[in-house]
Amino acid sequence: MNELLKSVPESYFASVSTLDENLEIGEKPLINMAVGIPDGPAPETVMGTVKSAADDPLNHKYPGFRGRPSFKKAIIDFYRRHYDVELKDENIAILYGTKSMLVQFPMIFIEPGEGVYLPDPGYADYGAGVDLARGIRYDLPLLAENNFLPDYESLDPDELDNARLIYLNYPSNPLGTVATKEFFEETVSRFKNTGTKIVHDFAYAAFGYGGGHPSILQSDREFSTAVEVYSFSKSYNMSGFRSGFAVGNKEMIEAINIYQDHTQTGMWGVLQEASITALNEEDDFLIRQNEIFKARKDKVIGALSEAGIPIRPIEGGIFGWIRVPEGFDGEGFVKYLLKEASILATPGIPFGTRGKAFIRISLAVDDADLDECIERLKNISHLWDE
């Protein structure tokens, strides 16, 4: 590998994708609360489409570039139905999973030396793309006193002048916080006439516990400033399908499409047909998915708060953010949980410097494991009193 790739820090999630057999796990059966993959199956209609589409000889050939018209129509109809946003073909890029494009986008959009604002705490792998683009990572602080929304007035003017992109992610991984339509209005207004564009990672769009989440495109109806990245992985239990899309600003979308013209030969037709079925036929599945995770959220927040364990309110998404007891940092407490309670959690530090004193737990486990995890945490709740 070249020196640039060597310089990129190791991906935390790649390093823990398989459980290390040398982990010091306690006597009880391991409960994996680190995984961010919803635990249910994909919708039955989607699986029916997969089975029939796999037998279609058309899907045994190269699928064509930039996605089928029927896939784009399903996306247009979905955004019209859910967000009252009117997209055109030029506003859509089909993605082979969303993580790859969230990482790659700085590599195809910024020039070396230009800056990208990344949320802290925020998803760990955003920064790799900035490094590979030879860009500069700029800190976008998410602080409790501002409801974990960026305070743009506090940002350094010189950095703002050099910033080409700003990444946002609401509902937030790992914080579980959400953004309002008013915040998106302010954000679009703030950056509309600047050289800075916005990338909104909307992976947890389906999980809203105080009502539906706004799309940033509702505040950028001319698509002047932002793209939004939507994933099938969490919303439809389709993480293994590696399907998603980006919608919004024409210039940003065209950059994605041109890049993929050179690096892909189109998404497998079976995956496109499965995605079309999800968008067109499974609005009720999104409602049921939200209900499942809301019940889990209510259970976890209620039980841990009552036990005195400082977990943040979960307003959206599928993760809980817990401050560790005095005397620990996040990494040390993850090791303690493994050894003493056989619980695998995620330390906060991969999400940025502001995550050092936190761990992240996932709601994407079955109810029996969730109940058992709650009991094990309650049994060590005295640690937070010491």
Side-chain angles (χ1 to χ4, degrees), residues 12 16 19 30-35 320 322 330-331 333-335 337-338 342-348 351 358-362 373 377:
Y12 174 80
V16 298
L19 293 178
L30 178 69
I31 300 177
N32 187 348
M33 301 294 290
V35 64
I322 299 174
E331 292 172 305
F333 194 58
V334 164
K335 293 178 181 177
L337 283 176
L338 265 174
S342 299
I343 295 171
L344 178 62
T346 305
F351 301 98
F358 293 85
I359 61 169
R360 190 195 75 176
I361 62 170
S362 172
C373 178
L377 289 173

Side-chain angles (χ1 to χ4, degrees), residues 33-316:
M33 301 294 290
V35 64
I37 305 170
D39 51 302
E44 290 183 8
T45 57
V46 169
M47 293 312 302
T49 295
V50 169
K51 293 168 185 175
S52 60
D55 287 332
D56 185 347
L58 176 65
N59 293 321
H60 303 173
K61 305 178 187 301
Y62 285 127
F65 294 84
R66 301 197 178 194
R68 293 177 173 174
S70 53
F71 193 1
K72 291 188 176 182
K73 182 180 186 303
I75 294 167
I76 290 169
D77 292 344
F78 181 86
Y79 257 72
R80 179 186 298 126
R81 194 165 66 247
H82 286 266
Y83 303 112
D84 190 30
V85 169
E86 291 291 337
L87 300 166
K88 299 178 181 178
D89 281 8
E90 66 188 25
N91 305 120
I92 301 171
I94 305 303
L95 304 180
Y96 315 94
T98 58
K99 174 183 172 176
S100 56
M101 185 45 58
L102 287 165
V103 173
Q104 291 162 355
F105 191 71
M107 300 161 57
I108 63 176
F109 199 76
I110 73 169
E111 299 295 341
E114 293 183 324
V116 179
Y117 278 107
L118 301 178
D120 182 356
Y123 183 60
D125 284 329
Y126 295 150
V130 183
D131 296 343
L132 291 169
R134 294 182 172 87
I136 304 172
R137 302 190 195 195
Y138 289 154
D139 182 31
L140 189 67
L142 304 184
L143 305 175
E145 53 264 35
N146 201 45
N147 297 318
F148 297 98
L149 299 171
D151 176 9
Y152 299 124
E153 296 304 318
S154 71
L155 300 180
D156 181 273
D158 290 336
E159 289 185 354
L160 280 168
D161 286 344
N162 190 52
R164 183 79 161 112
L165 292 171
I166 178 171
Y167 272 54
L168 300 173
N169 169 219
Y170 294 102
S172 166
N173 173 17
L175 295 172
T177 53
V178 299
T180 62
K181 190 171 186 294
E182 290 74 21
F183 166 74
F184 284 140
E185 297 280 357
E186 175 198 350
T187 299
V188 170
S189 176
R190 172 69 179 78
F191 292 102
K192 183 174 182 178
N193 295 312
T194 72
T196 305
K197 301 293 188 187
I198 305 159
V199 176
H200 181 224
D201 180 359
F202 208 21
Y204 301 94
F207 304 92
Y209 308 126
H213 297 297
S215 160
I216 196 171
L217 300 186
Q218 292 172 299
S219 302
D220 188 23
R221 293 186 178 274
E222 298 176 355
F223 312 122
S224 64
T225 311
V227 293
E228 189 157 73
V229 181
Y230 193 98
S231 172
F232 290 85
S233 295
K234 323 298 182 181
S235 302
Y236 297 101
N237 291 345
M238 293 170 62
S239 55
F241 288 63
R242 311 314 304 138
S243 180
F245 56 86
V247 287
N249 177 262
K250 180 180 176 180
E251 176 193 6
M252 300 168 80
I253 292 297
E254 184 63 8
I256 297 170
N257 280 328
I258 290 174
Y259 175 76
Q260 292 187 154
D261 287 347
H262 292 288
T263 59
Q264 310 283 350
T265 53
M267 178 183 286
W268 189 30
V270 172
L271 298 185
Q272 294 193 59
E273 293 302 318
S275 302
I276 291 166
T277 296
L279 291 173
N280 286 344
E281 301 182 26
E282 289 298 342
D283 284 359
D284 287 345
F285 185 90
L286 298 180
I287 295 171
R288 293 193 301 273
Q289 184 85 316
N290 189 60
E291 290 171 347
I292 290 169
F293 279 83
K294 182 180 186 302
R296 293 176 179 177
K297 180 270 298 186
D298 289 343
K299 180 188 296 186
V300 168
I301 292 293
L304 297 191
S305 297
E306 184 178 352
I309 298 173
I311 183 170
R312 272 202 40 75
I314 305 174
E315 301 168 316

